[in-house]
Amino acid sequence: MPASTAGAASTTTLKQQKIQAEQDAKDQQQKAAKPKAGQPAKKKAAPGPGREEPTTPLPRQHLTKPGIEADLQLQPRFEAPHYQGSGKLEGFSTLITGGDSGIGRAVAVLFAREGADVAIAYLSEHEDAKRTRELVEAEGGRCILLPGDVRDAAYCQQAVQQTVKAFGKLNVLVNNAAFQEHAASLEDLTEERFDETFRTNIYGYFHMAKAVLPHLHRGDAIINTGSVTGLRGSKELLDYSATKGAIHAFTKALAHNLADKGIRVNAVAPGPVWTPLNPADKRPEDIAKFGEDTHMGRPAQPEEISPAYVFLAAPSCSSYITGTVLPITGNAGDGA
């Protein structure tokens, strides 16, 4: 990537860290003024694929944005050892934004296991991105790393062009990059923060979708990462919830728009997932009970979300599915 692109990514990282620091200071003030509550009763978490899952409390940890997966005290599970590939994406070229860690990393691993080459677009988490490339290559796929800022339309064009140059084509775009920072009230939500969230979460999806469109053909797919917050809101994530609702609507509208071209557009709406995104946002005491209020009693692991992306990417699985928002929330009754 050009020096100007790297500089833009660095500037965005610093801006997001500034927003985080301002919110951290408010959280400390609120914590000092809040009386201590009693300990809630614990419940046993629902099992994962062939194993027991850790019950809360999770590690009380707060990461500096953008959040490095290698720094998490409890490492997310992304390997999906229970998942056997069967060539569903053999010969495919794929591009995943936010593919360095979390859900994006887990999707990259399974795409490669299914035979795809993978381009990883990410902001500045170089250590995580290099580890993801190692994982993709261990599965037999080719992988390129594309650091930069999805808020920048020029970067998105460059990332797509480099993917096509490296792999000869492009079949699947996964829009997954996101910015999240909580705010206790509407008064705490500044225009700067509101703009940062929308520029990353929805403008980034728009820029990437527009950049890939000339390279997609019948049977190809765009998959967007939505959220349970876009289905039912979140009182401390007003701007984030709004962007995820916008992503769901964008998904359905774009599916209508591209149906005659044979290009499928769908979204996955995860509930709480154990990735760097939330420890780089929430207070340590909130992270300790992250996901415990779901019916499953815990957050998902990334490897429990990633098979849905394979399903939506593979024509052998989802050739007749478009405009769908697939909720994977750990709750009964959540729907799109």
Side-chain angles (χ1 to χ4, degrees):
M1 283 290 153
S4 59
T5 299
S10 178
T11 299
T12 296
T13 299
L14 292 173
K15 181 186 291 185
Q16 293 181 357
Q17 289 174 353
K18 172 180 173 287
I19 291 171
Q20 180 186 32
E22 291 169 350
Q23 185 61 47
D24 287 349
K26 290 179 181 177
D27 291 344
Q28 287 298 323
Q29 292 173 356
Q30 292 171 356
K31 181 180 178 181
K34 188 176 180 180
K36 293 184 178 179
Q39 289 290 341
K42 289 186 172 58
K43 63 179 180 179
K44 190 171 178 61
R51 59 163 185 264
E52 292 299 313
E53 294 293 337
T55 302
T56 55
L58 295 167
R60 294 172 177 262
Q61 188 175 11
H62 188 51
L63 300 179
T64 300
K65 287 189 182 302
I68 304 299
E69 185 156 320
D71 292 339
L72 281 172
Q73 294 174 17
L74 177 64
Q75 285 292 292
R77 291 173 169 147
F78 55 82
E79 302 94 334
H82 54 283
Y83 184 99
Q84 300 298 314
S86 58
K88 295 183 186 69
L89 300 176
E90 193 68 42
F92 275 50
S93 167
T94 64
L95 170 60
I96 305 171
T97 73
D100 54 291
S101 64
I103 293 173
R105 170 183 284 181
V107 172
V109 169
L110 289 197
F111 275 13
R113 193 171 299 171
E114 289 290 1
D117 295 319
V118 185
I120 301 297
Y122 67 101
L123 184 60
S124 58
E125 307 91 324
H126 303 298
E127 180 183 354
D128 279 348
K130 290 176 182 177
R131 175 59 178 150
T132 301
R133 180 173 60 190
E134 292 172 357
L135 294 163
V136 168
E137 291 174 346
E139 297 286 349
R142 292 179 292 173
C143 185
I144 61 171
L145 303 184
L146 304 167
D149 188 353
V150 295
R151 302 181 317 159
D152 180 4
Y155 161 73
C156 294
Q157 291 285 347
Q158 293 166 8
V160 169
Q161 290 167 7
Q162 291 195 29
T163 302
V164 172
K165 181 179 180 180
F167 303 145
K169 56 181 179 177
L170 183 54
N171 304 106
V172 178
L173 167 68
V174 175
N175 272 321
N176 177 68
F179 173 75
Q180 173 184 307
E181 182 66 28
H182 69 281
S185 69
L186 182 60
E187 288 81 4
D188 288 343
L189 186 58
T190 65
E191 184 174 346
E192 177 191 31
R193 186 187 303 191
F194 197 81
D195 186 60
E196 184 72 16
T197 308
F198 268 80
R199 286 283 173 187
T200 302
N201 296 5
I202 185 65
Y203 277 67
Y205 283 31
F206 161 71
H207 292 320
M208 273 293 181
K210 194 169 183 178
V212 303
L213 187 55
H215 303 280
L216 299 182
H217 300 91
R218 299 186 72 82
D220 292 340
I222 296 172
I223 307 170
N224 297 321
T225 299
S227 170
V228 65
T229 66
L231 298 175
R232 51 188 171 91
S234 174
K235 70 176 185 178
E236 289 195 343
L237 296 173
L238 294 167
D239 52 339
Y240 182 82
S241 298
T243 63
K244 292 301 182 175
I247 287 166
H248 297 170
F250 178 64
T251 297
K252 295 179 180 184
L254 190 59
H256 278 286
N257 188 269
L258 299 182
D260 62 344
K261 298 180 184 296
I263 298 168
R264 295 170 292 111
V265 186
N266 293 288
V268 178
V273 186
W274 185 242
T275 74
L277 182 71
N278 284 283
D281 168 17
K282 297 182 182 297
R283 299 167 289 261
E285 56 270 26
D286 292 331
I287 288 300
K289 53 188 179 182
F290 179 58
E292 72 176 14
D293 59 350
T294 64
H295 292 158
M296 294 294 191
R298 61 174 178 85
Q301 292 291 336
E303 67 184 14
E304 295 180 286
I305 309 297
S306 52
Y309 289 80
V310 174
F311 171 76
L312 293 174
S316 61
C317 298
S318 58
S319 62
Y320 202 60
I321 300 175
T322 195
T324 292
V325 178
L326 176 61
I328 311 177
T329 64
N331 283 314
D334 282 332

